Amino acid sequence: MGLFLIPLMLSNVLQAASQTLNSIFLGRLIGVHALAAASSFFPIVFFMISFFFGVASASSVLIGQAYGARDEERLKAVAGTTLTLAIGSGAFVGILATLFLPQLLHLIGTPADIFDDSLSYARVTFLAMPLLFVYLAYTTFVRGTGDSRTPFLALIVSTIVTVVAAPAFISGWFGLPRMGVAGAAFSNVVANVVGLVFVLVALRREKNPLALDASILRHMRVELKLLATLLRIGNPTALQMVIVSLSEIALIALVNRFGSGATAAYGAVNQIVSYVQFPAISIGMTASIFGAQAIGAGRFDRLRKIARAGIALNWAIAGTLIAIVYVFNDTVLGWFITDQNVLRTAHNLLSITLWSYAVFGTTAVLSGLMRASGTVLWPTVLSIVAIWGVEVPAAYALAPHYGLAGVWAAYPIAFCAGLLFQTTYYQVFWRRRRLTTLLEDVPLATT
């Protein structure tokens, strides 16, 4: 488990690092307004990719089960159908979002002084959505087989590209046009292209069954029964992702009321907490993938051990990272922000919310393991209740009295409520299911 987790966790850290570097370059080379422009736009991106992310997660479960059962034909069928869906949905999202971007930015109350920069950043990002969806799909496939090394190496390469390309496009180095805020978005596109090419070349050289060859292309169509299975497993997760993204839109709309300085603080804090959040997500993904492989191999006795190992790893890793960030938070925030008022705001927000991401990680392990067995409805419902029944109402109730601090207090409140909900369901219902019932829920037999 550790051999898989470490590259996966480092991959997510590198993925966060790519966005962090862009934010640092924007904040340092242009200023706080540029950082705010990109930060205001992020929840919209999250919303637009959330449904496909759920389907991609479902494909990793099916690929993990097929890989555990050594069913190569089914593995390729899952990959082909998901890639077809990735291209089609990426094009649809890209075109739809591009047409309605001004309205979307107005909807979330984007401050007037950063509106134009947010719009230019968003347009570049959405035009590249088909590419992003394919890259996301392929890295999810590969991890479903237990290979977290190849996506990790791809992210190393793409991060290096970001380090060079972001300041070059922002400031117009090497004779390139000076693109400003849009240059950061364009550097993301270039980095994703390089990362995807790296993954495809690596898989072909390794003769991996997921390598993009004639056998995969033959499956590049929508197999209706397989699509139904993907949607059955993925829809609850996709719905959860959509609900989470909508909650972020609701919260950024609340944050934007406090001005572009508050939006910049929101962006900087989110960048930093991602280094605690992504390892927690990685551990949850690892529990889900290993759980799926154990179920595919008929080794149900491994599930409890996977849960215990995942929770222990989460608290060890998250606890260490949280302690480090609390010690050095002023220094780290200073990488993004030069304005002292914004810096103080970000410091207070980080102090309020950071500790609770260890709680979030425990919830991710339990829900990930349950989803690996095909139990997706109730973990999803409980997550939605924690978000829209606790987090958003708490933020809107506390903000008038405590300002931005009230918005951020809603995060730990919701994380603790979510852990209580998921633990109760895990202990009282899921663990008591008979193995025969569990086996019937596994979609491996569905074609």
Side-chain angles (χ1 to χ4, degrees):
M1 187 173 181
L3 293 176
F4 175 83
L5 173 62
I6 291 173
L8 175 60
M9 186 172 64
L10 291 176
S11 294
N12 283 329
V13 168
L14 277 175
Q15 192 167 16
S18 180
Q19 295 302 316
T20 298
L21 289 168
N22 265 319
S23 296
I24 290 173
F25 289 136
L26 287 171
R28 285 288 178 174
L29 295 177
I30 303 179
V32 169
H33 284 70
L35 174 61
S39 302
S40 178
F41 159 70
F42 171 76
I44 296 177
V45 176
F46 185 27
F47 172 71
M48 292 298 179
I49 69 174
S50 55
F51 180 80
F52 179 74
F53 186 86
V55 175
S57 299
S59 72
S60 73
V61 172
L62 294 185
I63 282 178
Q65 292 174 355
Y67 189 78
R70 299 296 184 264
D71 188 345
E72 187 171 310
E73 185 65 18
R74 180 171 175 79
L75 184 147
K76 291 178 182 291
V78 173
T81 296
T82 308
L83 284 173
T84 304
L85 190 62
I87 296 169
S89 57
F92 174 77
V93 166
I95 294 171
L96 185 66
T98 302
L99 291 174
F100 295 102
L101 272 174
Q103 293 89 333
L104 290 171
L105 291 175
H106 281 302
L107 181 65
I108 64 172
T110 303
D113 57 345
I114 63 172
F115 186 88
D116 290 341
D117 283 339
S118 292
L119 185 60
S120 62
Y121 188 99
R123 280 178 171 155
V124 173
T125 300
F126 277 118
L127 287 174
M129 275 292 160
L131 168 70
L132 176 62
F133 278 30
V134 171
Y135 187 28
L136 174 63
Y138 242 103
T139 54
T140 305
F141 297 161
V142 176
R143 287 174 182 143
T145 67
D147 176 12
S148 57
R149 175 178 171 272
T150 299
F152 171 59
L153 294 177
L155 276 169
I156 291 177
V157 173
S158 64
T159 302
I160 293 171
V161 172
T162 299
V163 170
V164 177
F169 286 119
I170 290 171
S171 300
W173 294 356
F174 314 122
L176 295 170
R178 184 169 184 168
M179 300 176 66
V181 173
F186 194 75
S187 71
N188 283 337
V189 176
V190 174
N192 286 339
V193 170
V194 173
L196 176 59
V197 170
F198 182 92
V199 170
L200 296 178
V201 170
L203 293 178
R204 180 173 287 275
R205 292 185 63 181
E206 296 168 4
K207 297 182 179 179
N208 189 294
L210 286 171
L212 187 60
D213 55 17
S215 61
I216 292 287
L217 294 175
R218 189 172 64 250
H219 287 285
M220 285 284 290
R221 61 184 184 276
V222 176
E223 298 185 21
L224 294 180
K225 289 185 178 181
L226 184 54
L227 177 61
T229 303
L230 281 170
L231 293 177
R232 179 171 64 84
I233 301 173
N235 269 344
T237 303
L239 177 61
Q240 180 184 353
M241 297 296 294
V242 169
I243 294 298
V244 170
S245 66
L246 287 173
S247 73
E248 286 299 314
I249 290 174
L251 292 178
I252 192 62
L254 186 57
V255 170
N256 283 338
R257 296 178 185 178
F258 294 89
S260 58
T263 307
Y266 164 90
V269 169
N270 275 352
Q271 289 295 328
I272 293 171
V273 299
S274 67
Y275 288 93
V276 179
Q277 184 178 25
F278 280 141
I281 293 172
S282 299
I283 294 168
M285 290 174 61
T286 302
S288 181
I289 290 170
F290 275 79
Q293 291 188 7
I295 292 168
R299 294 295 307 273
F300 301 102
D301 57 297
R302 295 178 181 173
L303 296 178
R304 184 176 296 184
K305 294 179 181 178
I306 292 170
R308 290 176 177 173
I311 292 171
L313 280 170
N314 167 67
W315 280 94
I317 295 171
T320 301
L321 292 173
I322 288 168
I324 292 172
V325 173
Y326 271 133
V327 171
F328 297 104
N329 60 0
D330 282 339
T331 301
V332 176
L333 285 168
W335 295 345
F336 304 88
I337 301 169
T338 55
D339 185 293
Q340 290 302 309
N341 290 328
V342 178
L343 186 63
R344 281 193 294 272
T345 299
H347 173 90
N348 292 336
L349 301 181
L350 188 63
S351 299
I352 291 170
T353 190
L354 184 61
W355 63 271
S356 63
Y357 282 88
V359 177
F360 167 83
T362 304
T363 306
V365 171
L366 295 179
S367 61
L369 193 61
M370 289 188 284
R371 287 187 174 95
S373 72
T375 303
V376 291
L377 177 61
W378 277 106
T380 300
V381 169
L382 295 175
S383 296
I384 292 171
V385 171
I387 293 167
W388 280 96
V390 178
E391 181 181 348
V392 175
Y396 275 80
L398 295 173
H401 304 286
Y402 302 101
L404 281 175
V407 179
W408 252 253
Y411 284 91
I413 292 171
F415 290 158
C416 291
L419 178 60
L420 176 63
F421 298 158
Q422 298 286 358
T423 301
T424 300
Y425 183 79
Y426 177 85
Q427 295 285 356
V428 175
F429 298 100
W430 188 80
R431 282 185 59 185
R432 295 185 178 182
R433 300 174 67 201
R434 293 181 300 176
L435 295 184
T436 53
T437 304
L438 184 62
L439 184 59
E440 289 173 1
D441 285 346
V442 177
L444 184 62
T446 305
T447 57

